[in-house]
Amino acid sequence: MQLKTKELSSKQQRIVEFIREFWLENNFPPSVRDIVAGCGLSSTSVVDYNLKILEKKGAIRRHREVSRGIELPSPPDSSNNLNVPVIGQIAAGQPIPVPDNDTWDITSNADTIEVTRDIVRGREGVYALKVKGNSMIEDLINDGDIVLLQSVNFVENGETAAIWLKSEKEATLKKFFLEPSGKIRLQPANSQMGPIYASPDNVEVQGRVIAVIRRMG
Amino acid sequence: MQLKTKELSSKQQRIVEFIREFWLENNFPPSVRDIVAGCGLSSTSVVDYNLKILEKKGAIRRHREVSRGIELPSPPDSSNNLNVPVIGQIAAGQPIPVPDNDTWDITSNADTIEVTRDIVRGREGVYALKVKGNSMIEDLINDGDIVLLQSVNFVENGETAAIWLKSEKEATLKKFFLEPSGKIRLQPANSQMGPIYASPDNVEVQGRVIAVIRRMG
DNA sequence: ACCCCACAAGAACATCTGTTCTGTTATTTT
DNA sequence: AAAATAACAGAACAGATGTTCTTGTGGGGT
């Protein structure tokens, strides 16, 4: 007597996820037997059984007697969009939870932002942070902006990056410079503010900024 | 001896168009027999014959032995994207060609930028400008940024807007304030720069900024 | 006329595929 | 423990569907 509501069993989640992946890859929905193979199930009847439940729960829509007649409520944008997870906020003094490597759990209930593919430009490991507070205004980044970051451990000199200062336990967006002296200079964009100097072993690059999106009005 | 090249016969164009419509409506590709019915053809072999040609010409992609295994090179936008015309650049001292009213010629060969619908949020008369030069850096807008504007003639106090100064023949992005004195104050965002004061009849609001998109790296 | 070729009609075929039927197993309820 | 229910397994059926085969048509070119 569980699952009366909209909660999906793990198998059902897996099926939905597979449908989405399949659709993304092939631009058309999978057949029942594709799902059997893709989810390692044993029988088409199992799929049908669960698809019926999924339909009742509103997770999918089916067209009877039509091959591959499965619709997702929000069809994965086969074309030009990507869903980038917004994994948190960034503000001075706040830690960033960084995703482990590149195995994202897109299906998790994390917020996502939909961006056109030309912004991501094929890069892997892209995530987004919402800027909280005005502490990054010197980098032309404002409160409420969304910054898109590529998860990398190293950046070129002069790139804007999300940087974790270990001892201070602070995350911040700054321009990154490795000085000839071996020190690392974190440079704000405004001449009113001086740079921050840190030793390399106190600095951890979390990602570099590849885009900023600001909505107003 | 026609159609050796990529040109499509009227029947083939019709088929492609039908596939696109069908896909748009159902979120999955049509079967061969759907095309027969939808295009008023007489036989599945006619469809198959033409689909093979279409595939050779690169108009579609087919997956053999897979029902509804038709892909369009650019699958129809399932509704989340809009193409916004980039009608020019904005920089101090440069005029902006502003579109007449709200009847855009989207099909014109003007550059467009594709943005997700959630950025436009249903607004009409949205266009984009590419920022040239660093003259707007005070508004957290940088060289190379794309600003999305909604074409309006009036803005609220405090909104960032594209403003045309008639006598100076200058276009600029500034925060707009109507002062109690009746003058208009155009306020940059940086305290280092003072505001510009102008009389209302010298000011023409061209649009208000609804989003900023900056790509880096 | 003749032949060649693009194109189409219609039927037939072999899969593919959604659905159903009959059980079986595990879990929960009484 | 017995009954009820959820979930799964396997097979089979019927319709959907891609593909192919044969035949027909109409026009150009020689």
Side-chain angles (χ1 to χ4, degrees):
Chain A
M1 185 62 77
Q2 83 273 55
L3 299 181
K4 259 190 187 169
T5 63
K6 299 244 174 166
E7 305 144 29
L8 305 182
S9 76
S10 65
K11 183 172 296 189
Q12 286 154 11
Q13 282 184 313
R14 199 163 153 206
I15 290 178
V16 172
E17 187 183 346
F18 174 76
I19 294 174
R20 177 165 262 104
E21 285 173 12
F22 187 98
W23 202 332
L24 219 53
E25 195 167 337
N26 298 288
N27 276 326
F28 52 80
S31 69
V32 171
R33 284 166 180 85
D34 288 332
I35 299 174
V36 167
C39 294
L41 301 178
S42 49
S43 172
T44 62
S45 63
V46 179
V47 175
D48 188 66
Y49 174 77
N50 284 288
L51 285 182
K52 278 176 181 163
I53 297 175
L54 284 171
E55 190 178 18
K56 262 187 184 154
K57 290 180 180 172
I60 63 170
R61 198 142 55 99
R62 297 182 81 189
H63 297 234
R64 262 177 290 175
E65 313 280 333
V66 171
S67 69
R68 302 173 189 273
I70 302 177
E71 276 186 76
L72 294 179
S74 64
D77 265 28
S78 32
S79 52
N80 283 311
N81 290 1
L82 289 175
N83 285 309
V84 173
V86 181
I87 62 172
Q89 301 182 338
I90 184 170
Q94 300 287 357
I96 321 175
V98 167
D100 21 60
N101 246 341
D102 53 351
T103 58
W104 308 84
D105 188 9
I106 300 278
T107 59
S108 82
N109 40 17
D111 279 345
T112 63
I113 181 176
E114 193 171 24
V115 299
T116 49
R117 199 175 287 271
D118 63 319
I119 288 183
V120 175
R121 277 182 246 139
R123 282 180 273 241
E124 299 287 329
V126 172
Y127 60 100
L129 294 173
K130 184 160 191 175
V131 175
K132 197 76 182 174
N134 292 48
S135 53
M136 266 75 75
I137 212 168
E138 305 87 9
D139 283 299
L140 302 182
I141 295 171
N142 207 355
D143 180 66
D145 288 4
I146 302 273
V147 289
L148 261 65
L149 296 133
Q150 180 181 18
S151 179
V152 294
N153 294 321
F154 302 97
V155 294
E156 303 278 325
N157 264 5
E159 281 189 316
T160 304
I163 287 155
W164 175 250
L165 297 172
K166 294 178 188 170
S167 57
E168 289 87 347
K169 300 201 176 193
E170 243 184 45
T172 183
L173 289 173
K174 287 284 179 299
K175 281 186 193 277
F176 177 97
F177 290 95
L178 178 58
E179 298 280 275
S181 66
K183 280 233 161 195
I184 285 172
R185 174 165 57 94
L186 302 176
Q187 182 73 48
N190 188 324
S191 55
Q192 289 187 298
M193 276 196 61
I196 299 173
Y197 288 94
S199 69
D201 53 338
N202 190 34
V203 168
E204 193 174 299
V205 174
Q206 308 233 324
R208 66 197 188 93
V209 176
I210 60 173
V212 180
I213 298 171
R214 179 182 316 141
R215 293 182 225 171
M216 313 159 76
Chain B
M1 187 59 77
Q2 82 275 54
L3 298 181
K4 259 190 185 170
T5 63
K6 297 241 174 168
E7 306 145 28
L8 305 181
S9 78
S10 66
K11 185 173 293 189
Q12 286 154 11
Q13 282 184 314
R14 200 162 153 206
I15 290 177
V16 171
E17 188 183 345
F18 174 77
I19 294 174
R20 176 166 262 102
E21 285 173 13
F22 187 98
W23 202 332
L24 218 53
E25 195 168 336
N26 299 288
N27 276 324
F28 52 80
S31 70
V32 170
R33 284 168 180 83
D34 287 333
I35 299 175
V36 168
C39 295
L41 301 177
S42 50
S43 172
T44 61
S45 63
V46 178
V47 176
D48 187 65
Y49 173 78
N50 284 288
L51 285 183
K52 277 176 181 162
I53 296 175
L54 284 171
E55 190 178 17
K56 262 186 185 156
K57 290 181 180 172
I60 62 171
R61 196 141 56 98
R62 295 182 81 190
H63 297 236
R64 262 177 291 176
E65 314 277 334
V66 170
S67 68
R68 301 173 187 275
I70 302 178
E71 276 185 76
L72 293 179
S74 65
D77 263 28
S78 27
S79 77
N80 277 318
N81 288 2
L82 290 175
N83 285 309
V84 172
V86 181
I87 62 172
Q89 300 182 340
I90 184 171
Q94 301 288 358
I96 321 175
V98 168
D100 22 61
N101 246 341
D102 52 351
T103 58
W104 307 83
D105 189 10
I106 302 275
T107 59
S108 82
N109 41 15
D111 278 346
T112 63
I113 181 176
E114 193 171 23
V115 299
T116 50
R117 198 173 285 272
D118 64 318
I119 287 183
V120 175
R121 277 181 246 138
R123 281 179 275 241
E124 299 289 329
V126 173
Y127 60 100
L129 294 173
K130 183 158 190 174
V131 176
K132 197 75 181 176
N134 292 51
S135 53
M136 267 75 76
I137 213 167
E138 306 85 9
D139 281 299
L140 302 181
I141 294 170
N142 208 353
D143 180 66
D145 288 4
I146 302 275
V147 289
L148 262 65
L149 296 132
Q150 179 181 18
S151 179
V152 294
N153 295 320
F154 303 96
V155 294
E156 303 277 322
N157 265 6
E159 282 189 315
T160 303
I163 286 154
W164 175 250
L165 297 172
K166 294 179 188 169
S167 58
E168 288 88 347
K169 300 200 180 200
E170 243 183 42
T172 182
L173 289 173
K174 286 285 179 296
K175 280 187 195 277
F176 177 97
F177 291 95
L178 178 57
E179 298 280 273
S181 67
K183 281 236 161 193
I184 286 172
R185 175 166 56 94
L186 303 176
Q187 182 73 46
N190 189 323
S191 56
Q192 288 188 299
M193 277 197 62
I196 297 172
Y197 288 95
S199 71
D201 53 338
N202 190 35
V203 167
E204 194 176 297
V205 174
Q206 308 232 324
R208 66 197 188 91
V209 175
I210 60 174
V212 180
I213 298 171
R214 180 182 314 141
R215 294 181 224 170
M216 313 159 75

